[in-house]
Amino acid sequence: LLQAAGVTEGSWKPTMDGGIPSQTNRDTVDVYIAKLREVGIEATLHIVDKVEITDKIWLQGTTEFCVCNKPTVNGTNGELYTFYHSTGRFAALYKQLGDTRLDELIDRQATTLDKEQRKSILHDVQRRVLETAVVTPIWSGRGMTVLSPKLRGYANDSLDGHRFAEAWLAG
């Protein structure tokens, strides 16, 4: 795919931003870097903290290549309007693109009451996101947080992917 896109050995030396310092994410980034090296692309790793993730990646859209978690937003409309609609809080990448077609699809699915029609529009949204390839989500999950009275330092913000970064258990 890279060759088909005109990338030749040594022509692209990306800096890969790796977010949320955890062993799982580091392992994922290591796999990406190894796979790129197999095709002659020398990527370097830049570990980003939660402030840089929000500023550089989600608000400014100035990352070249990133393996990171994005903040979670509840529900389909929350996700679409926050990250993919050009008016969204974290839609810097799509604001640069100015994709009115994607905005139109998101708006239309939000007001469609027929379940099958909405599903069809959501498939069109998925295709549009993949076609524009500004951000290609490769995995998305939902998590649940169970809190204990002993938990301290937890940031209760559903838009913050680092809620446990400074948490500890009191004795």
Side-chain angles (χ1 to χ4, degrees):
L1 289 176
L2 291 168
Q3 287 175 344
V7 176
T8 58
E9 189 170 328
S11 68
W12 184 42
K13 296 180 181 184
T15 298
M16 181 181 297
D17 292 316
I20 307 177
S22 71
Q23 191 57 48
T24 302
N25 282 1
R26 180 59 195 251
D27 292 345
T28 302
V29 170
D30 289 344
V31 168
Y32 278 108
I33 288 176
K35 290 295 181 186
L36 288 170
R37 282 192 181 130
E38 286 178 14
V39 295
I41 295 171
E42 288 299 318
T44 56
L45 173 62
H46 170 72
I47 298 291
V48 292
D49 61 21
K50 72 181 191 175
V51 172
E52 192 171 1
I53 287 172
T54 300
D55 288 348
K56 181 178 183 182
I57 297 166
W58 298 116
L59 293 177
Q60 298 171 15
T62 56
T63 188
E64 182 176 10
F65 192 69
C66 176
V67 175
C68 63
N69 294 350
K70 67 183 168 100
T72 56
V73 177
N74 291 330
T76 302
N77 285 336
E79 185 85 6
L80 292 173
Y81 278 103
T82 301
F83 293 100
Y84 299 106
H85 197 278
S86 64
T87 61
R89 176 177 174 199
F90 294 111
L93 301 168
Y94 287 99
K95 285 178 190 169
Q96 292 171 7
L97 182 67
D99 193 341
T100 56
R101 176 72 179 135
L102 184 58
D103 287 351
E104 174 191 301
L105 288 168
I106 291 170
D107 291 339
R108 196 164 42 136
Q109 67 78 37
T111 59
T112 299
L113 299 177
D114 180 83
K115 181 180 172 182
E116 290 304 313
Q117 189 177 10
R118 184 168 187 247
K119 183 177 178 180
S120 175
I121 297 168
L122 285 168
H123 282 132
D124 291 341
V125 168
Q126 284 180 321
R127 274 191 292 279
R128 187 68 182 176
V129 168
L130 291 172
E131 287 169 2
T132 59
V134 176
V135 172
T136 304
I138 57 171
W139 178 80
S140 181
R142 289 277 176 230
M144 182 186 305
T145 303
V146 178
L147 300 178
S148 163
K150 294 182 177 184
L151 183 65
R152 302 288 188 263
Y154 172 77
N156 190 18
D157 180 355
S158 64
L159 293 177
D160 186 351
H162 314 282
R163 293 179 281 182
F164 291 97
E166 299 173 9
W168 75 93
L169 292 175

